[in-house]
Structure formats: C-alpha cells, structure tokens
Amino acid sequence: MTAMAYSRRQLQKRRDDLEAGEAPAAAFAEMHDERVALVANALVPLRSADQAVEHIARLWKEAQDKFLAIGRYLVEAKRRFPKAYEREVVDRLPFGRQVAYQLATVARAVDAGTFQSGELPRTYSAAYLLTTLGDEALDQARQEGLVHPDVRRREIEAFKKALERQRQEALGRRALLLQQQAALKARVARLSESLEQAIAELKYVEKELGG
C-alpha cells in the first residue's frame, strides 16, 4: 500500500494498535516512513514565485538522487544475485529491463568517476545518453557545455547526430582522397612508362650519334 493510501483515521488506528500491543514494532516504523513521505510531498501554500522555484528545484534534485540510488541498488543486486537477477529482481520491478539497464549504466559511470555527481543530468535518460559517448566525444560535449544537470535529452541527441554527420563527412572525404590517390598512382605509372621509353629512345639516338 502506498503512502497516499492511508487516511488520518487509518494512521491513528495503526498507532492505537501499536500502543495496545496489537501491531509489531515494524508497523510503527512503516507508518512513520509513510507520514514522512506524506509531509515531504505535501503541497505548501505558495507566497511567491521564488518559493515555487525553491520547492520544485528541491523535488527535482531529489528525483535525480533517487534514480542514481536505484541504479546503484541494481548494480549491487546483480553482483549479489547474478543468476536470479533478471527473473527475481528486474522482472518484478515497476519498470522494464531497458530502464533498469540504463539506470545501472549511469550508476556505474558515476561510481567509476566518468561523471561527477554534480554534473549529472537530472533525468536518467539524458544521463544515459552521455554514457554512450566515447572519451573523445565526451570531452567535446564538456567543451560545448552539454555536461551539466540542466541539459536536456534532445540537446544530447542533437549533439550525437552532429557527431555522426561529421563522421560520415570524414568517411566521404576519405573515400574521395582514396580515389584521388588511385588516380595519381595510375598517372605516375603511365609517366614512368613514358619516361622509360624516352630514356631508351635517347640511348638509341646517342648510340647512333656516337657511331
């Protein structure tokens, strides 16, 4: 049952049951956690735009911390339960295997030092896209100001597309250079043949002159 599923009456009943010895101690801890979650996520009357920004930014930061923590749990679960990981862990989660893979990949990248937690995008999908970049491309992304918490997924996608265009253009230029190389080699071969023929004719003429 989720935190929002408990009414005040239900929470009070659970407290009364606990005090009467009719509920285990764990029930109180669970109830306390649920109350904490209710308070933390409750809407506060807004008195200014700055206050709205403050609350939203705090929740947004908490969301980032949570996806990183989830990723670390996934990494640890796979380490601890390698044979049962897919069936007993991932398949029972409220998201699919692809999301689990992306979350775990981001966590590994952070813990490996590829990213500092302060520069990690706030959404796991944007963070995952950054992990797909090679070292050179990641350095370029940093130089272009794309590695920071507020970067959007579409910005990274556009950056990757630009890299791919550059790669294709480089391949196209290489193909052109290879074609030019082949043409020049053929020309050198023809000139060498002509030169050898000219040298042979010159020797014949000089021999006739000498005779």
Side-chain angles (χ1 to χ4, degrees):
M1 185 174 291
T2 64
M4 294 301 293
Y6 291 107
S7 67
R8 289 185 178 180
R9 181 177 298 177
Q10 287 173 311
L11 290 169
Q12 183 61 48
K13 183 179 184 303
R14 295 186 73 179
R15 183 184 290 109
D16 293 342
D17 290 343
L18 178 63
E19 291 174 353
E22 298 175 1
F28 183 78
E30 179 184 353
M31 179 178 65
H32 174 73
D33 291 343
E34 290 160 356
R35 289 298 297 271
V36 169
L38 281 170
V39 172
N41 294 323
L43 287 178
V44 176
L46 298 176
R47 296 182 176 82
S48 68
D50 289 342
Q51 189 183 28
V53 171
E54 178 184 352
H55 285 298
I56 294 170
R58 174 180 59 80
L59 292 171
W60 192 243
K61 177 63 168 62
E62 289 175 0
Q64 179 195 32
D65 292 340
K66 284 181 173 59
F67 86 65
L68 186 55
I70 291 169
R72 284 171 171 154
Y73 270 116
L74 287 165
V75 171
E76 179 65 8
K78 187 171 185 178
R79 186 185 71 82
R80 292 284 304 276
F81 319 112
K83 294 182 179 179
Y85 175 72
E86 296 288 347
R87 184 184 70 259
E88 298 294 332
V89 178
V90 176
D91 287 349
R92 296 166 61 190
L93 295 174
F95 46 80
R97 293 189 179 190
Q98 182 177 0
V99 173
Y101 173 79
Q102 292 180 0
L103 289 167
T105 300
V106 171
R108 288 191 190 96
V110 172
D111 292 341
T114 304
F115 301 98
Q116 300 298 320
S117 59
E119 66 180 3
L120 198 67
R122 300 192 197 281
T123 62
Y124 78 86
S125 58
Y128 172 73
L129 277 181
L130 286 178
T131 69
T132 64
L133 299 175
D135 292 341
E136 185 176 343
L138 184 57
D139 288 341
Q140 186 177 338
R142 282 194 170 95
Q143 293 171 8
E144 296 186 18
L146 291 173
V147 184
H148 61 84
D150 296 322
V151 68
R152 298 179 180 180
R153 178 189 175 101
R154 64 172 177 265
E155 294 178 273
I156 305 172
E157 288 175 336
F159 173 73
K160 292 190 68 174
K161 288 180 181 178
L163 288 181
E164 180 60 20
R165 284 195 301 270
Q166 293 172 10
R167 189 182 75 84
Q168 292 295 338
E169 289 172 1
L171 289 175
R173 176 169 173 73
R174 177 174 174 78
L176 178 61
L177 290 173
L178 288 172
Q179 185 179 9
Q180 291 177 341
Q181 180 188 50
L184 288 170
K185 284 183 176 180
R187 182 181 175 189
V188 167
R190 290 194 300 270
L191 290 173
S192 296
E193 184 179 351
S194 297
L195 179 60
E196 290 176 0
Q197 184 177 354
I199 291 173
E201 292 177 357
L202 177 60
K203 286 182 179 180
Y204 174 78
V205 169
E206 288 176 343
K207 181 178 179 182
E208 289 294 318
L209 288 172

